[in-house]
Amino acid sequence: MAVIERESMDYDVVIVGAGPAGLSAAIRLKQLDSNLSVVVLEKGSEVGAHILSGAVLDPSGLDALIPDWREKGAPIKTEVKEDNFFLLGPAGQMRIPNWPMPPLMNNHGNYIVSMANVCRWMAQQAEALGVEIFPGMSASQLVYEGNRVAGVVAGEFGRDPETGAPGPSYEPGMELRGKYVFLSEGVRGSLAKEVIAKYELSKGHCPQKFGIGMKEIWEIDPAKHREGTVTHTMGWPLGGNAGGGSFIYHLENKQVYVGFVVHLNYQNPHLYPYMEFQRFKHHPMVAELLKGGKRLAYGARAISEGGDQSMPKMVAPGVALLGCSVGMVNVPRIKGNHNAMLSGKAAAEAAHAALQAGRSGDELTAYETEVRTGAIGKDLKKVRNVKPLWSKFGLVASLMGGGLDMWLNTFGLTAFGTLRRGKTDAAATGKARDFPKIDYPKPDGKLSFDRLTNVAFSFTNHDENQPAHLRLKDPSVPIRVNLPEYDEPAQRYCPAGVYEVLGEGKDATFRINFQNCVHCKTCDIKDPSQNIVWTTPQGGGGPNYPNMCSLNGRRIRRPFCLSGQTVMGQRPRQHLARSFRDRQRPLRLEDLCNRLTHLCGRGAGFAVLHMDHQMLAFGQKLAVLVEQTMKQVDEPRIMTQDFGFTP
């Protein structure tokens, strides 16, 4: 195999992922030493694009990182005013009073936020300190030097969609090398997964546990809107089929976040998490709230639920895992952003101390010590038995036993010690013949929606001219093994309709519609044969959660081009410009749109367009604009063009 030659750039710290953990690390590094060179790579088209908006934020992490965030205008405004918890039945609900709840379950002082917007604000703070942020730059592989992680490869484009080999327009990307590499990819990141396996970081720890979280943003009747209200539910419709629950958060502008979580350790392979979510919205309490409202957006992502017992070793030579790459979600609280920020801060402080001492490429053991013994470890230890109790004994035992244990842990005591887990979520899947099929009602198009219609509201887009980023270790397994044994559960556990079984019997085939993928990574987690491998697609692909804009009053279904927010260094800009200009084959309009997207997402400095299929009539004008842009790419400038529409 021919060696691919790549340009390289050297940094003190390379950070993969512009979420709360990665951005916190970048900010803290620059706070400690403004002369440190720090780069953040983000696979989304812009910072926040792949962060599923809507959370209740415990501000303790941000307080520690940026104490004056209020004065600096952070988009954190809606304080929690009312906190409700309900146990649902098919036709009614029972409120659980707040007074028996352990103190840690109290949301007083927390805020309902869009984490996508919070991260975009954090990116601005990082850039102001001198951090380089490259959106649309997928880190596709690690760079090793001996036994240490020395960097990542990012910005690779143009592989053949069929063979995966470099195609005629191949761009090798760049090696971004760091004295330390931080992986803050979120749940089940492909590079973090590789590091955990290579260095056996999970050895001696329980398997990680996960849930699938699905969320819709609704605009509701103003008369029903109660800004600052937080509601959590458990029980129906899941019952004994699976663990999980819901959340409803009232934010500003008559909007509510409606979310539903299904624990992925469910046994019945016929379970359909997405349809459980849609069925939930027909509960009388929820239906009354949403009646007359309008769905604005949809998204899904996996959630790490293993907690304290499942956090792997966090460091290896030259690399550290941050935030959800480790699994720092407090499951009963449904909160992890504060711990992600604290982990980024701790990793930055450990790296700074190492660099000051003249070290590089070693294990940042001080970081792991701080995580396990500091605020993060204390937060997770208090709730470590809630999820295992639920998994072993069900909802009621979890409510009673878990509640008791959380109360005791408030005083440094415990009723159960530390409960362990032995199975992965994939191994928990039972055989189809042992479980009944579940009859789900057909979506009504008002409160509930079919999966593909909802996926359009995630504004997901992938360049189709690339290899599928969802790969099968053995292409025969879905039909040969999973279909007869498990009724191929990929048809159901995927919240975006990526996987289909077409035909029956000997004619059955397995189809992967990777363009629909919202990067939740449930397939990588739940496939009973562990045959599906999620990898990063080419830069900029995937959902675009914060870019819910309109075109003359119409919602844009597929944004091709998204404005970049950062300015890259001269060397990568020249590299990108050269590779863009040197393409030998004629460019189709589709190619022009996609390449412009990639450049914009990687910070080339263009003001660009949101486009859907109706705008293709402006092809000639767009081609002229692209040609002008290509000529000016070495000196970034804002370019505008009147296309006869309002972006």
Side-chain angles (χ1 to χ4, degrees), residues 1 14 87 126 165 276 338 356 358 502 533 556 594 622:
M1 179 183 245
V14 174
L87 190 62
E276 296 285 351
H338 64 299
Q356 288 291 100
L502 305 177
V533 179
I556 296 172
N594 287 326
L622 179 63

Side-chain angles (χ1 to χ4, degrees), residues 243-301:
S246 82
F247 55 88
I248 301 173
Y249 303 151
H250 292 243
L251 66 160
E252 63 268 20
N253 300 323
K254 304 178 293 183
Q255 292 185 352
V256 295
Y257 299 131
V258 183
F260 197 80
V261 178
V262 178
H263 301 167
L264 288 177
N265 64 347
Y266 62 83
Q267 294 180 287
N268 188 344
H270 302 296
L271 188 87
Y272 197 160
Y274 175 84
M275 290 307 299
E276 296 285 351
F277 176 31
Q278 298 306 304
R279 185 159 62 169
F280 157 76
K281 290 182 293 178
H282 286 273
H283 188 277
M285 184 182 79
V286 185
E288 178 57 31
L289 176 68
L290 300 180
K291 185 179 178 181
K294 179 172 65 175
R295 166 201 48 171
L296 302 178
Y298 166 77
R301 59 160 292 184

Side-chain angles (χ1 to χ4, degrees), residues 39-232:
V39 63
V40 179
L41 304 174
E42 168 55 41
K43 67 181 174 67
S45 56
E46 63 175 330
V47 172
H50 290 178
I51 294 181
L52 189 55
S53 299
V56 173
L57 176 67
D58 177 345
S60 59
L62 198 56
D63 286 338
L65 182 70
I66 309 175
D68 58 345
W69 56 266
R70 294 171 179 83
E71 290 76 16
K72 290 187 173 183
I76 304 173
K77 308 293 184 185
T78 307
E79 190 168 0
V80 176
K81 300 174 184 176
E82 184 180 347
D83 207 359
N84 304 310
F85 194 94
F86 291 94
L87 190 62
L88 300 187
Q93 66 278 345
M94 179 180 71
R95 182 173 180 184
I96 299 176
N98 289 24
W99 63 263
M101 295 284 185
L104 62 88
M105 298 296 290
N106 190 348
N107 277 306
H108 177 74
N110 297 330
Y111 294 82
I112 302 171
V113 301
S114 161
M115 280 309 300
N117 289 335
V118 171
C119 285
R120 288 195 287 179
W121 176 83
M122 291 178 69
Q124 293 171 359
Q125 308 309 304
E127 286 184 306
L129 294 170
V131 176
E132 294 183 72
I133 303 178
F134 299 174
M137 290 276 277
S138 292
S140 54
Q141 64 185 80
L142 294 164
V143 176
Y144 295 97
E145 282 185 358
N147 191 45
R148 64 159 291 207
V149 175
V152 298
V153 174
E156 191 179 33
F157 293 92
R159 287 189 175 272
D160 186 89
E162 299 298 327
T163 66
S169 57
Y170 178 66
E171 298 174 22
M174 300 185 68
E175 287 187 2
L176 301 179
R177 293 175 169 263
K179 296 173 183 176
Y180 293 101
V181 176
F182 292 171
L183 300 181
S184 52
E185 301 173 286
V187 176
R188 200 75 165 193
S190 55
L191 301 186
K193 183 180 173 183
E194 178 181 334
V195 166
I196 291 170
K198 178 178 175 64
Y199 297 100
E200 299 183 318
L201 302 185
S202 290
K203 190 175 182 179
H205 302 274
C206 293
Q208 185 60 265
K209 307 297 286 185
F210 301 91
I212 172 64
M214 298 153 287
K215 186 180 299 176
E216 294 172 356
I217 302 177
W218 280 71
E219 183 180 292
I220 64 171
D221 183 345
K224 303 174 184 177
H225 186 252
R226 304 187 307 276
E227 185 174 313
T229 297
V230 168
T231 299
H232 292 102

